Amino acid sequence: MDFTNHPSDPTRHEEVLRCLFRESNDAFFLFEPQSLRVIDLNPAALRLTAYDRKQALQLRVTELFDSEDPKAVDRLIEAYRKTHIFHSREEYLLRRAEGEPLAVNLSASRIHTEPEPIGLVVVRDISERRKAQDTLERFFLLSPALFGIVSPGGQLLRGNQAWESVLGYTAEDLKSTPVTDLVHPEDRELAATTIREAGGEMSSREIRCRHKEGSDRWLSWSISRVGDIRYLVALDVTATKEAAALRLAKEAAEVANRARGQFLSSMSHELRTPLTAILALVDVFLADPASRSLPPDRRIDLQAIHRNGEHLLGLINGVLDLARIDAGKVILERSACDPSRIVAEVAEMLRPRSVEKRLGFRVEILSPLPGSIRTDPMRLRQILINLVGNAIKFTDRGEVAIRVEAPSPETLRFTVADTGVGLTEAEIASIFQSFEQVQASRHRSEGGSGLGLAISRRLAEAMEGTLTATGEPGRGSTFELTIPVEILETPHGPECRECSEAGQMDQRPASDAGVSRILLAEDNADNRRAIGLRLEQEGLDVATARDGQEAVDAAMLGEEQGTPFDMILMDMQMPVLDGFEATRQLRQKGYRGQIVALTAFALEEDRLECLRLGCNHHLSKPIEWGKLIDLIQNAAAAPG
């Protein structure tokens, strides 16, 4: 790829535009601005409308769209004729030759062609998302249970119709009303405590509430918390407090938790998919030798795009981690690991940041450590990376030190100390709360999501350990993590056995590791191109498939012709045949190569489902290239 020697070539540009027009998943309609007659449309538009091309070219664009608002289409045309552009709206329906109309996102603009301009309407199918939203909204509004969304201050932000049928309060009555104002005076303290101490899992409380007309009603409350927002589910148990009523409350809570899980999974997918293409393409540009000829400012811009993309990915991961912890869905693994190696890996990963800031960086082993312990190494590493990363972030002079010791035979203590801006008493009291930034008011320029320390403490508690902080303003801070461990090997001497080995990274190209031929199954054209280019930079021979059926056909053809694929990178959400079914069929047909699930669905249940169906590994998008390259390097083309 040459960034400097591509002169303007109209023919080439036209071919690129034709390719985009032809391959886009969005529907494109070109029309004549005066008559509004459709003059061209792409394959996606034909699929979406179910018209054949001849029928479609006899239509005006106004005949293709409808809306619950009868004047919406007229407004679209009027706006287009006045400004030649109409920004995205989701109030439109696409009429089809067959079947019900589809809910779509629609935008229109003018293309300056010669001799006369033409109009372009871009349509994206949002019917499935709209159906999911409508289903959740109907469930919220029509459920016999009282549903409420409660602010951190205890105000009822929104309630469903059941509030009026059970307690007589309309939506207008409830707006911004403190929930405790609806409670019997004797139960208000219990209600306030229930709201204040709500966690990720719902717990029931029977609380008397006042009907608008003055009578008392017994309600069984269940409250769950996501971040600082509380979700209240309440059932009227006045007539009976029997098991049936309590069972309904539990079922309502489970439905709410499942809906939240589905929402998190969906949002993770929608955010990670475009990030995959953005980060992968920037990686490709920066790794291409030709990019060194770019002006320095342009390389800085590319690095800024990558840095901010990584920040956004970290925020997405943090929100998902926090939600999983709050919902009690974090599954801890207990496996053998070397604590010295984990500390060495964390130090080697983060030492370059301290070098950039000209800080001292020390690792001290204060007592003999066991050679092998049983714990969750991934979560331990996650906590240490967060603590050391924060220490470097908030230290401008001096040093950062990691100290490890075994204060008792079955306990390890990890201490991260710095000489940075320090902590006030108020900050020590709040830094482990969600969305609270360390030194937010005194060191705002460092940024961050305010989730890392909250996640770290909750992970420490899930591991039956503790995470505490001490410090003084201007004199640095110290974070101490203590966890119980099961010792598998006797202690070694107090030296960091891995520190001298750290940094001996395997820099072999991925193609030198026994894996040379890879099939990439990915329906998103941008991701397919970006991931393929990045893999080719590693010296790999990459073939692509646009859906699961193409992946199955290509893999089995390779087996038959004696040119098998060493590894398949399988997107799990694809048309025609999704990755789950494609993996199942491949294993059923006898494919024994490595299958790596690449998916924007990043929840634990998604990973387990991929492995259950026959994938060897699961990596979430955007791709962590170090992990993928490690998988390729460590996976000789052996049976899966």
Side-chain angles (χ1 to χ4, degrees), residues 353-625:
R353 298 188 193 176
S354 67
V355 171
E356 287 178 7
K357 298 184 73 172
R358 299 186 177 181
L359 300 175
F361 191 95
R362 291 186 295 122
V363 177
E364 301 176 3
I365 308 299
L366 303 181
S367 68
L369 299 180
S372 178
I373 61 173
R374 192 183 305 280
T375 187
D376 188 325
M378 182 184 74
R379 297 303 184 182
L380 175 57
R381 188 180 292 106
Q382 181 179 354
I383 296 171
L384 292 177
I385 288 172
N386 185 267
L387 297 181
V388 178
N390 272 348
I392 296 171
K393 179 191 296 185
F394 295 108
T395 302
D396 292 330
R397 292 187 300 275
E399 68 171 14
V400 172
I402 308 173
R403 303 185 181 99
V404 192
E405 59 186 320
S408 69
E410 295 185 344
T411 305
L412 287 181
R413 180 184 297 139
F414 303 84
T415 303
V416 178
D418 63 66
T419 58
V421 296
L423 294 166
T424 65
E425 291 185 8
E427 287 168 341
I428 291 173
S430 67
I431 55 174
F432 293 110
Q433 297 175 13
S434 302
F435 302 103
E436 287 288 337
Q437 284 186 269
V438 181
Q439 295 96 16
S441 61
R442 297 182 288 115
H443 222 285
R444 190 67 181 179
S445 63
E446 296 293 350
S449 65
L451 289 174
L453 290 175
I455 292 170
S456 296
R457 170 169 276 187
R458 296 188 197 187
L459 288 176
E461 292 171 348
M463 298 169 72
E464 299 182 354
T466 60
L467 177 59
T468 60
T470 57
E472 296 181 38
R475 303 189 65 179
S477 57
T478 300
F479 288 81
E480 186 176 283
L481 169 67
T482 303
I483 58 170
V485 296
E486 178 186 349
I487 296 178
L488 301 179
E489 290 184 13
T490 56
H492 294 279
E495 74 278 356
C496 183
R497 293 175 294 107
E498 300 298 332
C499 287
S500 60
E501 299 175 18
Q504 304 301 314
M505 302 294 290
D506 187 353
Q507 298 296 327
R508 294 177 301 153
S511 57
D512 292 347
V515 172
S516 62
R517 194 159 187 259
I518 285 182
L519 174 62
L520 170 63
E522 167 65 65
D523 67 310
N524 184 284
D526 291 337
N527 286 341
R528 198 163 56 243
R529 179 173 184 272
I531 297 170
L533 286 172
R534 183 65 181 83
L535 291 171
E536 288 172 356
Q537 287 181 330
E538 291 291 328
L540 296 165
D541 179 13
V542 182
T544 61
R546 294 171 297 181
D547 57 58
Q549 187 60 59
E550 285 190 7
V552 172
D553 295 343
M556 299 318 299
L557 181 62
E559 297 283 318
E560 293 171 7
Q561 295 180 343
T563 56
F565 291 100
D566 303 318
M567 179 179 286
I568 300 176
L569 303 182
M570 183 77 77
D571 183 23
M572 306 312 286
Q573 296 296 318
M574 293 185 289
V576 184
L577 198 67
D578 64 24
F580 297 100
E581 178 61 18
T583 298
R584 190 191 67 79
Q585 289 190 17
L586 282 167
R587 293 309 188 198
Q588 190 177 53
K589 292 174 182 290
Y591 177 77
R592 296 176 59 80
Q594 296 276 317
I595 300 179
V596 179
L598 295 182
T599 173
F601 288 107
L603 300 181
E604 178 66 13
E605 49 265 40
D606 302 317
R607 183 183 74 86
L608 294 176
E609 180 67 5
C610 293
L611 299 181
R612 185 185 71 81
L613 288 171
C615 292
N616 300 90
H617 305 281
H618 170 281
L619 290 179
S620 61
K621 297 176 182 176
I623 299 167
E624 293 185 49
W625 286 103

Side-chain angles (χ1 to χ4, degrees), residues 325-336:
I325 294 169
D326 282 346
K329 291 188 176 181
V330 170
I331 300 174
L332 295 179
E333 296 183 0
R334 292 183 59 79
S335 58

Side-chain angles (χ1 to χ4, degrees), residues 171-187:
E172 191 63 31
D173 295 332
L174 295 173
K175 189 177 296 183
S176 299
T177 298
V179 178
T180 51
D181 285 2
L182 309 176
V183 176
H184 188 286
E186 295 179 7
D187 288 354

Side-chain angles (χ1 to χ4, degrees), residues 189-206:
E189 183 58 33
L190 174 62
T193 301
T194 303
I195 295 171
R196 183 172 60 251
E197 296 180 356
E201 294 187 354
M202 290 189 169
S203 57
S204 296
R205 297 285 188 277
E206 291 185 354

Side-chain angles (χ1 to χ4, degrees), residues 37 67 170 259 407:
R37 183 177 59 83
S67 173
T170 66

Side-chain angles (χ1 to χ4, degrees), residues 253-267:
E254 290 172 350
V255 168
N257 278 332
R258 281 197 300 271
R260 181 177 65 180
Q262 292 167 357
F263 174 78
L264 286 172
S265 181
S266 176
M267 286 301 98

